[in-house]
Amino acid sequence: MVDSPFGRLGLTVCYDLRFPELYLQLRFQQQAQVLLVPSAFTKITGQAHWEILLRARAIETQCYVIAAAQAGKHNNKRESYGDSLIIDPWGTVVGRLPDRLSTGIAVVDIDFSLIDSIRTKMPLDKQRKPIDFWSSASL
């Protein structure tokens, strides 16, 4: 966790995206506002999961997600998917490079009032159940 002029930043890497508990901890225990996810997702998993996992993490944490993604062939056995994105706390893609293989910089304004508004209207931090609450649920 890093405090910056761009908000309270939660730092992760690409494979972390598959573990929502980490992102929930960054949001609810460390008060993240922006989650950073640099990545080298493979082409196959990237096509299937990259954007949907990023959008899910933004929605469930009510944070901006900034995901810089490597793209292209590294060698004959490894190809990264690419598709650098910025997603707002509502799950809307608000920044994206022109195509998934592009190099460049996407820039958006981080709207802290949007974060506050979403968190006020849907106060997940107050409505969350402790993790052991769910252990008593019968299947």
Side-chain angles (χ1 to χ4, degrees):
M1 187 62 59
V2 175
D3 287 312
S4 82
F6 311 103
R8 194 155 170 82
L9 307 177
L11 311 174
T12 68
V13 295
C14 63
Y15 196 67
D16 293 339
L17 207 47
R18 299 198 175 277
F19 304 98
E21 303 86 6
L22 169 61
Y23 294 87
L24 295 173
Q25 186 174 53
L26 289 170
R27 158 62 165 101
F28 295 107
Q29 272 129 33
Q30 299 184 37
Q31 291 72 49
Q33 296 169 301
V34 179
L35 303 169
L36 304 179
V37 190
S39 167
F41 253 60
T42 68
K43 184 177 179 184
I44 292 169
T45 58
Q47 286 174 321
H49 303 146
W50 177 239
E51 183 176 333
I52 197 162
L53 286 172
L54 290 167
R55 292 180 72 193
R57 297 300 86 87
I59 294 165
E60 68 200 8
T61 63
Q62 301 171 315
C63 290
Y64 278 88
V65 173
I66 300 174
Q70 291 184 15
K73 281 194 169 249
H74 302 280
N75 56 46
N76 288 337
K77 295 180 181 180
R78 173 91 176 144
E79 183 175 358
S80 290
Y81 180 66
D83 200 15
S84 295
L85 300 165
I86 303 171
I87 301 164
D88 76 11
W90 194 247
T92 303
V93 175
V94 294
R96 176 180 246 150
L97 293 182
D99 65 68
R100 71 177 185 81
L101 298 176
S102 292
T103 57
I105 298 172
V107 177
V108 303
D109 289 323
I110 302 296
D111 183 351
F112 294 103
S113 67
L114 177 63
I115 296 171
D116 294 341
S117 173
I118 289 170
R119 291 178 180 184
T120 297
K121 291 176 184 169
M122 195 181 307
L124 299 180
D125 57 334
K126 293 175 180 57
Q127 297 169 339
R128 286 174 46 89
K129 304 277 189 251
I131 194 67
D132 60 345
F133 173 86
W134 302 108
S135 63
S136 64
S138 60
L139 300 174

